[in-house]
Amino acid sequence: MTRVAYLCADPGVPVFGTKGSSVHVQEIVRAWRGTGADVTVYCARRGTDRPADLADLDVVEVPPNSAPAGAAREQAIENAALALVDEVLHRGCGLVYERYSLFSPALSVLAPVLDIPSVLEVNAPLIEEQQRYRQLVDVKKAETVLRRNAGTADVVACVSEPVVRWVRERLPAARTVLVPNGVNVHRITARQPGRRNPDHLTVAFVGTLKPWHGVPGLLHGVALANALTPDPACRWRVLVIGDGPGREDLERLAATLGVEAEFTGAVPPDAVSGLLDRADAAAAPYPAGVVGQDDYFSPLKVYEYMAAALPIIASAVGQIPSILEPGRTGILVPPGEPAAVAEALTRLAADPALRERLGSSARADAAQRFSWDGVLARITRSLPPVRRVVA
C-alpha cells in the first residue's frame, strides 16, 4: 500500500470547503484512496464542510501565523509549509503530492530527503494571479520556490497547455505532463429528462462570483433572450450556485435588467448535483481577455454540467473547445458576446429534443473521458519507471 502525503499549503484553499479548488483537492484524494493508497492530507486550512465519505481522512493542519498582508504574510505561509514538512518527516510517506502554492518549498525539501516519488500539481500561474488580483511582495522568492519544486518533482502535472508553457518558461527541463481536470460522475448524477417547471426555463451557473467568470454576460444574454420570446413559458430565469465578492453587483444588475435570478450562496460540493437537477441548461460564459492572453483554466463547472446531463452554453476559450463538441455536447459562443448567449438560449428554449440530446451526450463523455480516476492514472503513468507506483 502506497502511503501518500498530499500537501496544500495555500491558506486560500480549504480542504473541506465550497470552492472549486476544494473540490479538486477532495477528488484527487478520493482517486488516490480508490487505488488503495493510504492518504494523509497536510494543509494550511482544513475547512469545515467535510463530506461523509472523507470522514475518516487523516488531516494535519498548520495554519500560518496571523499576518494581515505583505512580506510578513508571505513569510508566515513559508513557515507554515515548513512546519508541515516536519509533520511529514515525523510520520513518513512513500510518495509526496503537492498542490502548488506560493512560498511552499515542501516538495523540494521532502522528496530528496526521503528519496521518494513526487508530483507537483500546478493549477494556475499563481505568481501573475497574485500580482494582478492581490499583492505579491517577494516576487524573486516566489519564482525561486516554483523552480526548485518543479525541478525536484518527478512529474509536474499541469491542467492546461498555457500552464505547461508557464512552468517551462521558468524551468525548461521540468518534467511536465498535461492533465486537465475531471468530474466525479457518482457525486454529480444525471438529471432526469424533461422540463423542470412549465412556467419558465432555468439556466444554471456554478462558481465563485468573480469578474473572470462572466456572469454579467449571462444576465445580459438572458435579458436579450427574454425580450425576444413571445411565449412566457420559454422565458429564462437564472440559478447562480456559488458566492463571491461580485454577488451584490450581480444581484443589482439582475434587478436592473428585469431578470429573475436566484443566488444560493456558497454550498457544499455534495449539494451541487441536487441544485443542477433544477436546471434546464447551464452556462460557462467566460468573457474575453480577463485573465490574460492565454486562458489557462481547466473548468470544473463544465465537467460538472456534463455529468449532470445538462445542455451547455460555453464561451469558446481555453480548453472548452477541446472538451465540448459543438452541436453534440454543447453550444459554443464567442467570449463576451451576450447576443450570442441569447441566441443559444432561444435555440434551446424552442427545441426540447435538442436540450435532451446535448445533455445525454455530455453525460456520456463525462463518464467515458473525464473521470478523476483517469486524471490520476495519467499522472502516475508519467512517473519514471523506477519511481512508478501502482495506481
Side-chain angles (χ1 to χ4, degrees):
M1 177 186 295
T2 303
R3 296 181 62 200
V4 175
Y6 182 108
L7 285 108
C8 179
D10 188 340
V13 180
V15 172
F16 303 125
T18 60
K19 293 182 174 182
S21 54
S22 303
V23 172
H24 195 288
V25 171
Q26 293 170 28
E27 295 296 0
I28 290 293
V29 168
R30 287 188 179 103
W32 271 116
R33 282 159 62 107
T35 70
D38 178 14
V39 183
T40 300
V41 172
Y42 300 84
C43 64
R45 186 176 171 192
R46 185 192 309 266
T48 58
D49 298 297
R50 186 190 284 255
D53 68 316
L54 297 178
D56 63 336
L57 179 66
D58 189 13
V59 179
V60 178
E61 180 187 40
V62 180
N65 292 332
S66 179
R73 177 65 170 164
E74 295 172 0
Q75 186 60 55
I77 292 172
E78 181 181 4
N79 292 344
L82 291 172
L84 291 173
V85 167
D86 288 341
E87 292 287 345
V88 177
L89 291 173
H90 175 71
R91 292 165 171 247
C93 68
L95 180 145
V96 58
Y97 186 109
E98 180 165 21
R99 180 186 174 96
Y100 165 55
S101 306
L102 289 172
F103 303 110
S104 169
L107 185 145
S108 65
V109 175
L110 285 168
V113 170
L114 296 175
D115 190 25
I116 54 175
S118 58
V119 176
L120 180 68
E121 175 193 282
V122 184
N123 297 286
L126 293 184
I127 293 171
E128 282 80 356
E129 269 196 0
Q130 189 76 7
Q131 288 176 309
R132 181 164 188 173
Y133 296 109
R134 292 173 286 273
Q135 179 190 41
L136 183 62
V137 176
D138 198 337
V139 178
K140 182 177 180 181
K141 178 183 283 187
E143 294 276 4
T144 299
V145 167
L146 172 61
R147 285 195 297 271
R148 286 177 178 169
N149 282 337
T152 301
D154 292 305
V155 174
V156 183
C158 302
V159 296
S160 66
E161 285 286 1
V163 172
V164 169
R165 293 194 295 270
W166 183 76
V167 171
R168 287 182 174 171
E169 284 171 2
R170 286 151 179 79
L171 192 72
R175 295 169 287 277
T176 56
V177 59
L178 173 62
V179 189
N181 286 330
V183 67
N184 185 335
V185 295
H186 304 292
R187 184 175 64 84
I188 305 294
T189 56
R191 161 192 176 278
Q192 295 303 306
R195 287 185 68 123
R196 291 300 168 264
N197 192 305
D199 299 324
H200 62 256
L201 293 163
T202 298
V203 57
F205 167 87
V206 176
T208 306
L209 304 183
K210 293 185 177 180
W212 53 84
H213 285 154
V215 180
L218 174 60
L219 294 174
H220 280 283
V222 169
L224 289 171
N226 287 345
L228 298 172
T229 302
D231 183 356
C234 289
R235 291 172 64 86
W236 291 91
R237 67 190 294 276
V238 181
L239 174 62
V240 179
I241 304 168
D243 209 346
R247 177 172 174 173
E248 290 186 4
D249 288 342
L250 292 170
E251 290 175 331
R252 283 192 291 268
L253 177 61
T256 299
L257 294 172
V259 172
E260 184 181 351
E262 177 186 350
F263 291 78
T264 68
V267 300
D270 287 349
V272 171
S273 186
L275 289 166
L276 288 177
D277 192 60
R278 294 166 47 191
D280 300 281
Y286 294 101
V290 172
V291 175
Q293 184 176 3
D294 288 320
D295 296 297
Y296 60 81
F297 52 87
S298 184
L300 283 173
K301 63 171 62 61
V302 172
Y303 299 112
E304 292 185 336
Y305 299 160
M306 295 176 74
L310 283 165
I312 301 163
I313 301 169
S315 299
V317 295
Q319 286 186 355
I320 291 176
S322 68
I323 301 169
L324 296 177
E325 182 180 340
R328 191 181 73 84
T329 59
I331 299 174
L332 299 184
V333 298
E337 293 191 15
V341 174
E343 182 180 351
L345 287 167
T346 301
R347 181 181 170 194
L348 290 175
D351 194 341
L354 175 62
R355 296 200 300 269
E356 301 307 329
R357 186 170 66 251
L358 291 174
S360 177
S361 297
R363 169 73 185 185
D365 269 18
Q368 295 166 14
R369 299 174 54 202
F370 301 119
S371 73
W372 284 110
D373 291 342
V375 168
L376 181 61
R378 287 193 290 275
I379 294 171
T380 56
R381 283 197 302 265
S382 300
L383 287 166
V386 294
R387 294 290 208 182
R388 198 154 294 163
V389 296
V390 176

